[in-house]
Amino acid sequence: MMTLVVHEEDQMEMDSTEMWYIMTRKQQLQARRALLLGLQEFLKKNNFSEGNFNQKEDQGLCELAQIEKELQSLSEREGELRNGMSLQEKQSTVPEITEDSFATGQSPPEEELNSTTPAPEVVEVKDLSFSPATVHCPNCQQHVTTEIQRKVGKTSFLLCYLSALLGCVGGCCLLPFFLNYFKDTCHYCPSCHTEIQNVPRI
């Protein structure tokens, strides 16, 4: 069973690579065809009747026929690949029936089917940090992701006082009141809008 699945995946990858090659080659051929048609139109418009130009025109017609033939074969192969890919996609959406599920008559549990993203980890209120986290709100008893707000706290006042002592009295001592890095972090519940925890900077 495993080798069959691996073989199907390899086949789909080879088909998609071939499809990419076909589309690229078709673009090249269409550009070449447009160039040849433009050259023919130019030669006809300017009435070039010398032998050298007539030979070029004949070569262009021959090459145009080859391009048309190759474009047609590429379009047919593209159609075959598209039909094959759509069939493989339909088969891959059909749930796989194993001997165990057939014997028990049960399908895989929905938890396994829907377990694409893990549930966020719930943090204790006392362990909150400076960024939003998922907690159990003590007020409304719900699991919520907290909203944070920065507030001036003891750290801001302490740094302002130390800056003034060091001689930063020209307004620089007021910087801790404006920078979020030095402020305390208050966690709020987005459901009931109560303050859950205040996390001081120091």
Side-chain angles (χ1 to χ4, degrees), residues 60-71:
L61 287 172
C62 185
E63 190 175 351
L64 272 174
Q66 290 175 351
I67 287 174
E68 292 293 340
K69 191 182 292 184
E70 189 174 351
L71 278 172

Side-chain angles (χ1 to χ4, degrees), residues 18-20 22-23 26 30 71-85:
E18 188 176 356
M19 182 71 79
W20 176 82
I22 287 172
M23 296 176 96
K26 280 176 71 175
Q30 288 167 353
L71 278 172
Q72 185 177 358
S73 65
L74 286 173
S75 297
E76 290 172 1
R77 180 62 184 150
E78 184 181 2
E80 291 173 7
L81 285 174
R82 286 191 190 278
N83 290 338
M85 285 180 163

Side-chain angles (χ1 to χ4, degrees), residues 50-62:
E50 297 178 11
N52 190 19
F53 289 109
N54 285 337
Q55 286 178 359
K56 285 187 179 179
E57 189 174 353
D58 293 340
Q59 288 174 355
L61 287 172
C62 185

Side-chain angles (χ1 to χ4, degrees), residues 4-104:
L4 180 63
V5 172
V6 171
H7 177 68
E8 287 178 359
E9 287 178 358
D10 289 344
Q11 185 64 37
M12 286 182 70
E13 187 174 337
M14 285 171 32
D15 288 349
S16 63
T17 305
E18 188 176 356
M19 182 71 79
W20 176 82
Y21 167 77
I22 287 172
M23 296 176 96
T24 307
R25 182 66 180 152
K26 280 176 71 175
Q27 287 178 351
Q28 291 173 346
L29 290 172
Q30 288 167 353
R32 179 70 178 163
R33 182 177 61 181
L35 183 69
L36 287 172
L37 289 173
L39 178 63
Q40 283 181 355
E41 188 177 333
F42 174 76
L43 291 175
K44 286 178 184 175
K45 192 180 287 184
N46 293 314
N47 294 325
F48 285 106
S49 58
E50 297 178 11
N52 190 19
F53 289 109
N54 285 337
Q55 286 178 359
K56 285 187 179 179
E57 189 174 353
D58 293 340
Q59 288 174 355
L61 287 172
C62 185
E63 190 175 351
L64 272 174
Q66 290 175 351
I67 287 174
E68 292 293 340
K69 191 182 292 184
E70 189 174 351
L71 278 172
Q72 185 177 358
S73 65
L74 286 173
S75 297
E76 290 172 1
R77 180 62 184 150
E78 184 181 2
E80 291 173 7
L81 285 174
R82 286 191 190 278
N83 290 338
M85 285 180 163
S86 63
L87 283 175
Q88 286 178 355
E89 286 174 3
K90 286 178 184 175
Q91 289 174 355
S92 66
T93 55
V94 176
E96 183 181 345
I97 300 174
T98 60
E99 293 177 8
D100 297 336
S101 64
F102 183 72
T104 58

